[in-house]
Amino acid sequence: MIRKPRVDPAHAAAPTAAKPELIVHPDGTWEIRSESVDYPVSYCSGTSHGPKLLTSTTLEFGGQQTCDNSDDWPHRIKIRLESTCPDFWCIIFQPEGALDTNWVTGRVATKTGGLGCDNSDRRKYRLVIEVYARGVYLDTVVGTNEPVLSCSL
């Protein structure tokens, strides 16, 4: 008779949840990958939208994240629009508006919105996005698109 080794529950290794890793690409898109081999190489991906002038009086911005594996739900993105003056010495960005997909228990978290321009003064804009998956905050992505637009909020 062959005996199997007995594992003492007090000394058994506890299963560990794979920690998601946020990878930001040079174009400002991102992926969330897992250290676990149980997941595909990339199981969430995201992108920002804008900022851009929709009309001469409306600035549009937003973002989207898609997670194909239901183990990564709920997921969420919080998008913050920031601005500064258009000159090279203006380096401090200030918050202008925000969008939140809230927690999503499906494949896609998306949100797009617009803000009205008070006047046509030129400003530099950018998006800052907080990324969440598996119900936890992972990190912040700063958009690489920083257009100077004739719209002051």
Side-chain angles (χ1 to χ4, degrees), residues 49-109:
H49 168 69
K52 69 177 187 175
L53 279 174
L54 187 60
T55 67
S56 62
T57 59
T58 305
L59 187 102
E60 183 182 69
F61 66 102
Q64 181 177 55
Q65 178 171 276
T66 303
C67 294
D68 291 329
N69 193 327
S70 62
D71 288 345
D72 305 317
W73 306 340
H75 63 113
R76 170 187 200 179
I77 54 175
K78 293 170 77 174
I79 308 147
R80 187 172 66 246
L81 176 69
E82 297 181 340
S83 77
T84 187
C85 72
D87 296 315
F88 68 90
W89 62 80
C90 299
I91 58 172
I92 308 272
F93 282 86
Q94 301 294 323
E96 293 286 358
L99 299 170
D100 190 339
T101 64
N102 297 313
W103 292 105
V104 176
T105 56
R107 289 185 68 238
V108 181

Side-chain angles (χ1 to χ4, degrees), residues 70-150:
S70 62
D71 288 345
D72 305 317
W73 306 340
H75 63 113
R76 170 187 200 179
I77 54 175
K78 293 170 77 174
I79 308 147
R80 187 172 66 246
L81 176 69
E82 297 181 340
S83 77
T84 187
C85 72
D87 296 315
F88 68 90
W89 62 80
C90 299
I91 58 172
I92 308 272
F93 282 86
Q94 301 294 323
E96 293 286 358
L99 299 170
D100 190 339
T101 64
N102 297 313
W103 292 105
V104 176
T105 56
R107 289 185 68 238
V108 181
T110 187
K111 192 76 166 187
T112 302
L115 295 173
C117 305
D118 290 339
N119 58 54
S120 61
D121 290 348
R122 294 169 56 80
R123 289 185 171 270
K124 182 190 287 188
Y125 290 94
R126 74 174 181 191
L127 297 180
V128 177
I129 302 171
E130 294 178 20
V131 178
Y132 299 77
R134 295 188 192 174
V136 297
Y137 169 74
L138 297 178
D139 206 345
T140 299
V141 175
V142 178
T144 57
N145 179 27
E146 294 184 354
V148 175
L149 302 170
S150 296

